[in-house]
Amino acid sequence: MTEPTITCVLYTRQQIETTVKKLASEITHDYAHKNPLLVGILKGSFMFMADLVRNLSFPLEIEFVRVSSYGKNKQSSGKIAVMQGIRTRIKDRHVLVVEDIIDSGLSVNYVLESLHRKKPASLKVCCLLDKPARRQVNVPIDYTGLTVPDKFLIGYGLDWAEQYRYLPDICYLEDEKP
Ligand code: PRP
Protein backbone atom coordinates (compact mmCIF):
# COMPACT_ATOMS: atom_id res chain seq x y z
CA MET A 1 0.00 0.00 0.00
CA THR A 2 1.47 3.33 -1.08
CA GLU A 3 1.31 6.10 1.49
CA PRO A 4 -0.90 8.94 0.22
CA THR A 5 0.75 12.30 0.42
CA ILE A 6 -1.31 14.94 -1.31
CA THR A 7 -4.83 16.10 -0.54
CA CYS A 8 -6.79 18.33 -2.87
CA VAL A 9 -10.23 19.83 -2.25
CA LEU A 10 -12.84 18.44 -4.61
CA TYR A 11 -15.97 19.92 -2.97
CA THR A 12 -15.86 22.77 -0.50
CA ARG A 13 -17.98 22.88 2.65
CA GLN A 14 -20.19 25.48 0.93
CA GLN A 15 -20.82 23.16 -2.02
CA ILE A 16 -21.61 20.34 0.39
CA GLU A 17 -24.04 22.53 2.32
CA THR A 18 -25.86 23.52 -0.87
CA THR A 19 -26.08 19.87 -1.92
CA VAL A 20 -27.38 18.72 1.47
CA LYS A 21 -30.06 21.42 1.43
CA LYS A 22 -31.17 20.34 -2.06
CA LEU A 23 -31.47 16.73 -0.90
CA ALA A 24 -33.33 17.78 2.24
CA SER A 25 -35.82 19.71 0.12
CA GLU A 26 -36.52 16.66 -2.06
CA ILE A 27 -36.86 14.39 0.97
CA THR A 28 -39.19 16.86 2.68
CA HIS A 29 -41.41 16.88 -0.38
CA ASP A 30 -41.66 13.08 -0.38
CA TYR A 31 -41.64 12.18 3.33
CA ALA A 32 -43.09 15.09 5.31
CA HIS A 33 -46.19 13.14 6.36
CA LYS A 34 -44.75 9.61 6.53
CA ASN A 35 -42.76 9.61 9.78
CA PRO A 36 -39.87 7.89 7.97
CA LEU A 37 -37.03 5.96 9.54
CA LEU A 38 -33.68 7.21 8.25
CA VAL A 39 -31.04 4.47 8.44
CA GLY A 40 -27.47 5.72 8.22
CA ILE A 41 -24.64 3.39 7.25
CA LEU A 42 -21.73 3.94 9.64
CA LYS A 43 -19.18 5.09 10.00
CA GLY A 44 -18.94 7.21 6.88
CA SER A 45 -22.46 8.66 6.97
CA PHE A 46 -22.31 10.22 10.42
CA MET A 47 -21.60 13.78 9.26
CA PHE A 48 -23.94 13.69 6.29
CA MET A 49 -26.77 12.27 8.41
CA ALA A 50 -26.29 14.98 11.04
CA ASP A 51 -26.39 17.78 8.49
CA LEU A 52 -29.24 16.24 6.53
CA VAL A 53 -31.61 15.88 9.49
CA ARG A 54 -30.74 19.40 10.65
CA ASN A 55 -32.44 20.47 7.43
CA LEU A 56 -35.54 18.32 7.93
CA SER A 57 -38.29 19.72 10.14
CA PHE A 58 -40.99 17.06 10.22
CA PRO A 59 -41.49 13.91 12.32
CA LEU A 60 -38.86 11.27 11.57
CA GLU A 61 -36.72 8.72 13.37
CA ILE A 62 -33.05 7.87 13.02
CA GLU A 63 -31.27 4.52 13.18
CA PHE A 64 -27.81 3.35 12.22
CA VAL A 65 -26.27 0.16 10.95
CA ARG A 66 -22.54 -0.34 10.71
CA VAL A 67 -20.84 -2.25 7.93
CA SER A 68 -17.31 -2.16 6.64
CA SER A 69 -15.59 -3.44 3.52
CA TYR A 70 -12.49 -1.32 2.97
CA GLY A 71 -10.39 -1.67 6.12
CA LYS A 72 -7.13 0.11 5.39
CA ASN A 73 -7.37 -0.46 1.66
CA LYS A 74 -8.37 1.94 -1.06
CA GLN A 75 -10.40 -0.72 -2.85
CA SER A 76 -13.34 -2.66 -1.49
CA SER A 77 -12.43 -6.09 -0.20
CA GLY A 78 -15.73 -7.27 -1.67
CA LYS A 79 -16.63 -8.78 1.69
CA ILE A 80 -19.09 -6.88 3.85
CA ALA A 81 -18.51 -7.14 7.58
CA VAL A 82 -21.60 -6.30 9.65
CA MET A 83 -20.52 -4.67 12.89
CA GLN A 84 -24.01 -3.58 13.98
CA GLY A 85 -27.32 -4.58 12.44
CA ILE A 86 -30.68 -2.85 12.56
CA ARG A 87 -32.26 -2.71 16.00
CA THR A 88 -35.54 -1.00 15.17
CA ARG A 89 -38.63 -2.80 13.89
CA ILE A 90 -39.12 -1.61 10.31
CA LYS A 91 -42.09 -3.67 9.15
CA ASP A 92 -44.57 -1.31 7.42
CA ARG A 93 -42.28 1.70 7.99
CA HIS A 94 -41.06 4.05 5.29
CA VAL A 95 -37.31 3.50 5.37
CA LEU A 96 -34.71 5.76 3.77
CA VAL A 97 -31.13 4.50 3.75
CA VAL A 98 -28.59 7.32 4.10
CA GLU A 99 -25.15 6.64 2.67
CA ASP A 100 -22.15 8.92 2.28
CA ILE A 101 -20.79 7.32 -0.90
CA ILE A 102 -21.81 4.52 -3.24
CA ASP A 103 -18.77 3.10 -4.96
CA SER A 104 -18.90 -0.62 -5.82
CA GLY A 105 -22.44 -0.60 -4.39
CA LEU A 106 -21.73 -3.71 -2.34
CA SER A 107 -22.26 -2.08 1.06
CA VAL A 108 -25.59 -0.45 0.35
CA ASN A 109 -26.77 -3.44 -1.63
CA TYR A 110 -26.08 -5.70 1.34
CA VAL A 111 -27.96 -3.37 3.68
CA LEU A 112 -30.89 -3.03 1.26
CA GLU A 113 -31.26 -6.79 0.96
CA SER A 114 -31.27 -7.31 4.71
CA LEU A 115 -33.79 -4.48 5.25
CA HIS A 116 -36.02 -5.64 2.42
CA ARG A 117 -36.46 -9.01 4.15
CA LYS A 118 -38.05 -7.19 7.10
CA LYS A 119 -40.89 -5.93 4.88
CA PRO A 120 -40.82 -2.13 5.16
CA ALA A 121 -43.66 -0.16 3.55
CA SER A 122 -41.07 1.46 1.29
CA LEU A 123 -37.30 1.35 0.98
CA LYS A 124 -35.29 4.06 -0.75
CA VAL A 125 -31.70 5.29 -0.89
CA CYS A 126 -30.20 8.73 -0.43
CA CYS A 127 -26.49 9.14 -1.08
CA LEU A 128 -24.39 12.26 -0.96
CA LEU A 129 -21.78 10.96 -3.40
CA ASP A 130 -22.27 8.58 -6.30
CA LYS A 131 -19.18 7.11 -7.97
CA PRO A 132 -20.60 5.11 -10.91
CA ALA A 133 -17.18 4.28 -12.41
CA ARG A 134 -16.56 1.62 -9.75
CA ARG A 135 -20.00 0.02 -9.62
CA GLN A 136 -20.08 -3.78 -9.29
CA VAL A 137 -23.78 -4.21 -8.50
CA ASN A 138 -26.72 -2.23 -9.77
CA VAL A 139 -28.15 -0.08 -6.98
CA PRO A 140 -31.30 2.01 -7.32
CA ILE A 141 -30.45 5.48 -5.96
CA ASP A 142 -33.47 7.66 -5.29
CA TYR A 143 -31.70 10.82 -4.10
CA THR A 144 -28.19 11.64 -5.35
CA GLY A 145 -26.16 14.61 -4.15
CA LEU A 146 -23.10 14.67 -6.40
CA THR A 147 -21.79 12.33 -9.07
CA VAL A 148 -18.08 12.08 -8.40
CA PRO A 149 -15.00 11.11 -10.44
CA ASP A 150 -13.06 7.91 -9.87
CA LYS A 151 -10.79 9.21 -7.11
CA PHE A 152 -10.30 8.02 -3.56
CA LEU A 153 -12.25 10.57 -1.50
CA ILE A 154 -11.76 11.59 2.10
CA GLY A 155 -13.26 14.10 4.50
CA TYR A 156 -16.81 14.91 5.61
CA GLY A 157 -17.02 11.46 7.21
CA LEU A 158 -15.01 9.53 4.62
CA ASP A 159 -11.74 8.01 5.73
CA TRP A 160 -8.50 6.55 4.60
CA ALA A 161 -7.38 3.99 7.22
CA GLU A 162 -9.68 5.77 9.74
CA GLN A 163 -7.97 9.13 9.20
CA TYR A 164 -9.32 12.34 7.64
CA ARG A 165 -13.00 11.85 8.56
CA TYR A 166 -12.92 15.18 10.38
CA LEU A 167 -12.11 17.30 7.30
CA PRO A 168 -15.00 19.72 6.58
CA ASP A 169 -14.40 19.59 2.81
CA ILE A 170 -14.41 16.55 0.54
CA CYS A 171 -10.90 15.97 -0.73
CA TYR A 172 -9.02 13.36 -2.71
CA LEU A 173 -5.76 11.61 -2.14
CA GLU A 174 -3.10 11.20 -4.75
CA ASP A 175 -0.44 8.56 -4.34
CA GLU A 176 3.12 9.77 -4.18
CA LYS A 177 4.76 9.55 -7.59
CA PRO A 178 8.03 7.55 -7.67
C1 PRP B 1 -17.29 3.19 2.82
C2 PRP B 1 -18.40 4.21 2.66
C3 PRP B 1 -19.56 3.39 2.19
C4 PRP B 1 -18.91 2.27 1.40
C5 PRP B 1 -19.06 2.55 -0.07
O1 PRP B 1 -17.42 2.52 4.04
O2 PRP B 1 -18.66 4.85 3.88
O3 PRP B 1 -20.32 2.84 3.25
O4 PRP B 1 -17.51 2.28 1.75
O5 PRP B 1 -18.32 1.63 -0.83
P1 PRP B 1 -18.97 0.46 -1.67
O6 PRP B 1 -20.08 1.05 -2.47
O7 PRP B 1 -17.82 0.00 -2.54
O8 PRP B 1 -19.43 -0.63 -0.74
P2 PRP B 1 -16.28 1.56 4.61
O9 PRP B 1 -16.54 0.13 4.25
O10 PRP B 1 -14.94 2.11 4.26
O11 PRP B 1 -16.54 1.71 6.18
P3 PRP B 1 -16.68 3.10 6.99
O12 PRP B 1 -18.01 3.69 6.62
O13 PRP B 1 -16.62 2.67 8.40
O14 PRP B 1 -15.53 3.99 6.58
Side-chain angles (χ1 to χ4, degrees):
M1 179 167 52
T2 312
E3 286 293 312
T5 54
I6 308 165
T7 63
C8 307
V9 174
L10 185 62
Y11 300 112
T12 65
R13 63 204 76 182
Q14 290 81 11
Q15 287 173 298
I16 297 168
E17 185 182 351
T18 300
T19 302
V20 171
K21 285 185 189 300
K22 181 203 78 164
L23 290 169
S25 170
E26 293 171 16
I27 291 166
T28 298
H29 178 268
D30 294 348
Y31 285 94
H33 302 290
K34 293 183 175 174
N35 185 28
L37 178 69
L38 273 58
V39 178
I41 303 182
L42 293 174
K43 299 179 192 174
S45 72
F46 78 97
M47 213 179 273
F48 175 41
M49 175 70 108
D51 284 346
L52 182 65
V53 298
R54 256 189 282 244
N55 285 279
L56 302 177
S57 52
F58 57 84
L60 60 86
E61 295 173 34
I62 295 166
E63 175 61 281
F64 288 98
V65 296
R66 188 177 159 210
V67 300
S68 180
S69 67
Y70 282 72
K72 291 189 174 180
N73 300 315
K74 289 169 80 178
Q75 290 197 340
S76 172
S77 66
K79 292 180 187 150
I80 310 299
V82 181
M83 330 295 265
Q84 178 186 314
I86 189 98
R87 293 178 179 175
T88 303
R89 184 175 162 83
I90 65 166
K91 188 169 187 306
D92 300 328
R93 297 288 308 270
H94 293 285
V95 175
L96 179 62
V97 173
V98 175
E99 178 64 295
D100 49 306
I101 185 166
I102 298 180
D103 195 321
S104 70
L106 293 170
S107 301
V108 73
N109 188 56
Y110 187 95
V111 170
L112 285 173
E113 286 184 352
S114 70
L115 295 178
H116 180 72
R117 286 195 289 272
K118 298 179 189 298
K119 302 192 183 338
S122 68
L123 183 58
K124 291 189 175 182
V125 175
C126 171
C127 79
L128 178 64
L129 307 171
D130 177 20
K131 192 195 287 182
R134 292 276 173 166
R135 198 73 91 247
Q136 292 182 32
V137 289
N138 189 31
V139 178
I141 307 176
D142 302 282
Y143 307 93
T144 302
L146 298 159
T147 301
V148 303
D150 186 12
K151 293 182 178 296
F152 192 85
L153 302 180
I154 54 167
Y156 199 70
L158 285 73
D159 75 311
W160 178 76
E162 295 301 329
Q163 289 297 316
Y164 305 111
R165 293 191 199 272
Y166 55 86
L167 296 174
D169 305 309
I170 293 171
C171 306
Y172 61 92
L173 290 174
E174 292 287 18
D175 294 333
E176 188 175 25
K177 300 290 182 298

